[in-house]
Amino acid sequence: IELGSGVDGTAANTLSDYETGTFTPTLNGATTAGSPTYSLQKGIYTKIGNLVHCVIRVQISNLGSLDGFVRVLGLPFTANSTADNQSSASIGYGGGLNITAGTSLGGFIQTGDNYLRLTHWDVGDGTSYLDDAEFSATGSLMINLTYQT
């Protein structure tokens, strides 16, 4: 592909469409959004063509009635809506969580969504959503996510 000529020819999908910026990630519950308070919220992104890479850091000081599966909102772009085009997230650090030792954290963004669903994997249950009971009032995460717009 020639620099500046995207697959579909639109400016938003060209290699010369390069952008960096910041955003404010927030946590919310799938049942009750809640209003957590934060001691740290940081989101940085780089977008090249239709590919977005995000580095996210959140640390809360109070869950604020958040209830249900925990999601990360505030992503800078909506994911591509092409069927079966989900992207997974890597969580390199999770602190202050109520999970069993040996549990792996992860996440994914569904097609057409603008938020990240958090998951965990353990030997007994396999993969399931990270619930508010497993995210403590002092929970902290470091996340890397790459997805298509």
Side-chain angles (χ1 to χ4, degrees):
I1 296 177
E2 194 179 302
L3 183 63
S5 64
V7 173
D8 67 2
T10 61
N13 294 318
T14 63
L15 292 177
S16 62
D17 177 33
Y18 177 87
E19 161 182 353
T20 61
T22 61
F23 62 99
T24 304
T26 59
L27 299 181
N28 125 327
T31 304
T32 302
S35 32
T37 52
Y38 300 87
S39 50
L40 178 63
Q41 289 173 276
K42 186 172 186 174
I44 301 169
Y45 73 89
T46 300
K47 180 178 181 288
I48 303 172
N50 71 343
L51 200 61
V52 181
H53 179 74
C54 300
V55 177
I56 301 167
R57 178 84 162 97
V58 291
Q59 183 169 349
I60 63 171
S61 53
N62 187 308
L63 279 172
S65 72
L66 180 152
D67 185 37
F69 304 135
V70 182
R71 306 180 295 190
V72 179
L73 280 63
L75 298 179
F77 300 94
T78 299
N80 182 308
S81 60
T82 304
D84 298 322
N85 196 29
Q86 299 91 346
S87 294
S88 60
S90 170
I91 299 179
Y93 174 82
L97 304 177
N98 297 319
I99 57 176
T100 307
T103 298
S104 297
L105 297 172
F108 66 98
I109 185 170
Q110 290 273 50
T111 57
D113 280 351
N114 60 358
Y115 60 89
L116 178 65
R117 300 162 194 250
L118 298 177
T119 61
H120 64 89
W121 182 90
D122 62 45
V123 174
D125 297 325
T127 301
S128 57
Y129 292 113
L130 186 69
D131 191 82
D132 64 284
E134 296 158 326
F135 204 101
S136 76
T138 58
S140 178
L141 297 171
M142 291 181 188
I143 304 168
N144 281 286
L145 169 66
T146 301
Y147 63 102
Q148 291 183 335
T149 62

